[in-house]
Amino acid sequence: MSIKDNNKYMLKAIKMAEENFRSGNGGPFGAVVVRNGEIIAAAGNCVTSTNDPTAHAEVVAIREACKKLETFDLSGCEIFASCEPCPMCLGAILWSRIGKLYYAADRNDASRAGFDDELFYRELSLSNDERLLKPTQMLQEEAIKVFDKWIDTTDKIQY
Amino acid sequence: MSIKDNNKYMLKAIKMAEENFRSGNGGPFGAVVVRNGEIIAAAGNCVTSTNDPTAHAEVVAIREACKKLETFDLSGCEIFASCEPCPMCLGAILWSRIGKLYYAADRNDASRAGFDDELFYRELSLSNDERLLKPTQMLQEEAIKVFDKWIDTTDKIQY
C-alpha cells in the first residue's frame, strides 16, 4: 500500500479515537484492520461502556475482523492503531498473526494521558518476585500431565 | 484463603483445561476467577471454536467475571490459571486489576506443547527494529492532539 493509503487508514483510527471518547464509548483509542486495501474492521475502545477491561480498540477490531472473515488467523492483514498497543493488545496482534503494525502515539504519550501502558510493559519485563501481581506457581506437575495428553492427541486444531 | 482452597481452585482450572480440549472447545487451558472464596467465573480457551484469537481462558474468565459483577474492575479477585498467562493474558489481568495470580504449568511447558507464549514474551522485550511485526510509527502529532483533548475533558470515566 502507498504512504497515502497508510495515512488514510491511520487518520481514520485517530478520528475514531476522538469520536470514541466524546461519545462515551470508552478511552481515546481507535484501531483499523486492513487487508489488500480494504478495511475489514474498525473499532474504538469500549472498556467502560461494556464493562470489559479487555475491550481495547485493537482487541475489538481483531475480534470483529475474525468474525467477518470467519477465521482466527488474520495473516495477510495489517493493523493501524491510534496509539502503540499495550502488552495485552500486542499479544492479541501476535496471536491473530496480523503481519504488520502501524501506530501513531506511543506508550509515553499514553502515560501522559493517564494510562498504564508503560507501567505494564515494565511489569512484563520483571521477574515474578518483582511483579505487582506476585505470581505464585503451584501444581505444575498436574498441569503438565494435561499438556502431555494434548501432545498425544492427534485430532486437534492448533493455533 | 488456605492452601487447601488454593489447591481446589487450581485443580478445577487444570480439570477444565483437559475437558476443554477434549470437547473441541479450544486449547488445553483453563482459568478460574475467585473472590472471597467464591468462584465468580471459570472458563476454557475457545480460540478455535469461536474464531477469536483473544479468547484465551484467562481473557474469557475475566470477561465473564466482569459481566457477572457488572464492573470493569476486578480488584479483590484472584485468578487461577492452568498455565502461566501469555503476555496478552497477563496484560488483561493487569488491566482488570485482579490482585493475585496463581499458575500451574509455565511458558516453557506451553512451548513444549506447541504454543508461542515464550516466543511472544521475547518479542515484547525487543526493540521495534527487532520485532516480528516490524512496527512503524506514523502521524504521532495527530494522535497526541486527541490525547490532549482527552486530558482537557472533565467528565470522563477513567480505567
Side-chain angles (χ1 to χ4, degrees), chain B residues 70-128:
Chain B
E70 298 180 344
T71 175
F72 53 81
D73 183 344
L74 297 179
S75 302
C77 292
E78 301 183 314
I79 190 163
F80 293 79
S82 67
C83 184
E84 183 182 3
C86 75
M88 175 180 72
C89 292
L90 189 58
I93 292 167
L94 289 165
W95 284 114
S96 77
R97 312 297 173 183
I98 283 177
K100 174 73 184 171
L101 160 66
Y102 298 89
Y103 67 86
D106 63 26
R107 64 183 82 173
N108 299 311
D109 301 323
S111 281
R112 196 171 57 84
F115 297 97
D116 289 332
D117 302 56
E118 165 59 15
L119 178 72
F120 292 170
Y121 266 106
R122 270 185 281 141
E123 173 84 0
L124 260 81
S125 69
L126 299 176
S127 67
N128 274 356

Side-chain angles (χ1 to χ4, degrees), chain B residues 33-49:
Chain B
V33 175
V34 176
R35 188 180 63 172
N36 299 330
E38 183 197 353
I39 292 176
I40 306 295
N45 171 299
C46 46
V47 167
T48 52
S49 61

Side-chain angles (χ1 to χ4, degrees), chain A residues 63 100 104 134 136-137, chain B residues 63 100 104 134 136-137 159:
Chain A
R63 280 186 206 147
K100 175 73 185 173
K134 307 267 177 251
T136 299
Q137 189 171 15
Chain B
R63 281 185 204 148
K100 174 73 184 171
K134 307 267 176 248
T136 299
Q137 188 169 16
Y159 59 88

Side-chain angles (χ1 to χ4, degrees), chain A residues 3 24 30 37 41-42 44-45 55 57 61 65 70 74 77 79 91 103-104 110 117 124 150-151 159:
Chain A
I3 291 174
N45 171 299
E70 297 181 342
L74 297 179
C77 293
I79 190 164
Y103 66 85
D117 302 53
L124 259 80
W150 165 264
I151 292 166
Y159 58 88

